[in-house]
Amino acid sequence: MLDPTTTREAARLLLDCWQSNRTVPQLPQHCRPSSRAEGYAIQREMLSQSARRRFGWKIAATSSAGQSHIGVDGPLAGMIHATQVITEGAPVPIGRSLMKVAEFEFAFRMRTALAPRAEPYRVEEVMAAVDSLHPAIEVPDSRYDDFARAGAAQLIAENACADRFILGKACPSAWRSLDLAAHRVAISVTGREPLTGIGSNVLGDPRVALTWIANELSAHGMMLEAGEVVTTGTCAMPVPVAPGIRIEADYGALGRIAAQFTD
């Protein structure tokens, strides 16, 4: 079991890896988390040591493809630091990325906070706390040499592979009447055949995924704050990217989002 000293040591090591863009095989045994709770404790300590502001949260592995990609059997929650957010239209550096993939997601901005409580939140309660829905692109990465073998606790500790994030414009308010599980996303990638994503790839429904993270955080004494953004996981297979590649996703009535990758 990790104590405050080993939790701080693990957080300091991971933060240094992110800041210096280096990787490690895994955390040293004496400060390696063995549970989700210990992984989340390292997350919180890393944010504290960084002196950054939390922009929101991401959910990793909400699809079978995402789970296979990082070698886990269920979703993981990670913090998105404000410094990781890239304005749509700005170039996205990818040359030093380990994963080199992009993911097309449904992201929610919260209107009101969801505090920890004993009773699980219901989908209807969570959606009533949402302010807006946005198309989003996540560009995950890892600080482990072999992230597919790191395991859930270590991946949670490094913020569930959170790296770059792009938030699109808010969708028209009519999104609340749409079936997000059945909603399709048309994806184009430079020099490749078009792809299609669908909301049901995100834990069956992006709204269900948002409810999952509300309850996951609540169970570990954390909360979704008003104004925070939650990106709910990829609706399609992660797309390999490289410098020079442009990607774009058409969410139909919900809008569009694009990104251009550079070294």
Side-chain angles (χ1 to χ4, degrees):
M1 180 178 293
L2 300 187
D3 59 23
T5 298
T6 49
T7 296
R8 286 193 294 270
E9 183 178 349
R12 188 162 52 248
L13 174 58
L14 287 172
L15 184 60
D16 178 69
C17 285
W18 281 112
Q19 291 174 335
S20 61
N21 200 51
R22 66 185 180 91
T23 60
V24 292
Q26 54 188 336
L27 289 169
Q29 183 66 51
H30 71 279
C31 64
R32 188 181 307 161
S34 59
S35 67
R36 284 175 174 260
E38 290 181 346
Y40 288 126
I42 293 170
Q43 272 191 26
R44 293 192 295 271
E45 178 61 26
M46 187 160 54
L47 181 69
S48 177
Q49 290 186 17
S50 73
R52 296 171 180 168
R53 179 178 64 84
R54 190 174 69 215
F55 178 81
W57 299 86
K58 65 158 286 183
I59 313 174
T62 51
S63 69
S64 57
Q67 291 167 16
S68 176
H69 186 62
I70 60 174
V72 298
D73 59 6
L76 314 172
M79 296 181 186
I80 300 173
H81 296 182
T83 55
Q84 295 172 305
V85 180
I86 295 177
T87 303
E88 186 178 6
V92 182
I94 197 69
R96 299 175 70 186
S97 171
L98 179 64
M99 288 186 169
K100 287 185 170 61
V101 296
E103 300 177 347
F104 296 93
E105 312 203 355
F106 294 83
F108 297 92
R109 187 181 293 278
M110 306 306 297
R111 177 189 299 119
T112 56
L114 295 175
R117 70 183 198 187
E119 179 187 356
Y121 284 100
R122 294 176 289 106
V123 171
E124 295 77 12
E125 291 179 283
V126 173
M127 295 313 298
V130 169
D131 184 37
S132 53
L133 174 69
H134 303 249
I137 295 173
E138 192 201 354
V139 185
D141 204 9
S142 177
R143 296 301 90 197
Y144 301 116
D145 296 334
D146 188 354
F147 52 82
R149 293 181 178 273
Q154 287 199 96
L155 290 172
I156 288 171
E158 68 151 6
N159 276 320
C161 305
D163 191 12
R164 303 296 188 181
F165 178 69
I166 304 160
L167 186 69
K169 295 186 174 98
C171 303
S173 59
W175 70 265
R176 289 187 182 272
S177 65
L178 298 179
D179 181 356
L180 295 185
H183 196 82
R184 294 187 177 272
V185 179
I187 298 165
S188 62
V189 183
T190 303
R192 301 178 200 161
E193 292 295 316
L195 304 170
T196 301
I198 187 168
S200 60
N201 284 335
V202 185
L203 272 188
D205 188 316
R207 292 165 292 200
V208 170
L210 183 64
T211 305
W212 175 86
I213 196 171
N215 288 320
E216 175 79 348
L217 297 181
S218 177
H220 291 92
M222 300 183 286
M223 65 188 292
L224 295 179
E225 301 277 3
E228 288 188 332
V229 169
V230 180
T231 191
T232 54
T234 185
C235 68
M237 288 286 290
V239 175
V241 292
I245 294 289
R246 184 180 187 276
I247 60 175
E248 183 172 357
D250 183 352
Y251 285 69
L254 301 180
R256 307 171 76 96
I257 190 168
Q260 177 76 41
F261 292 90
T262 63
D263 268 320

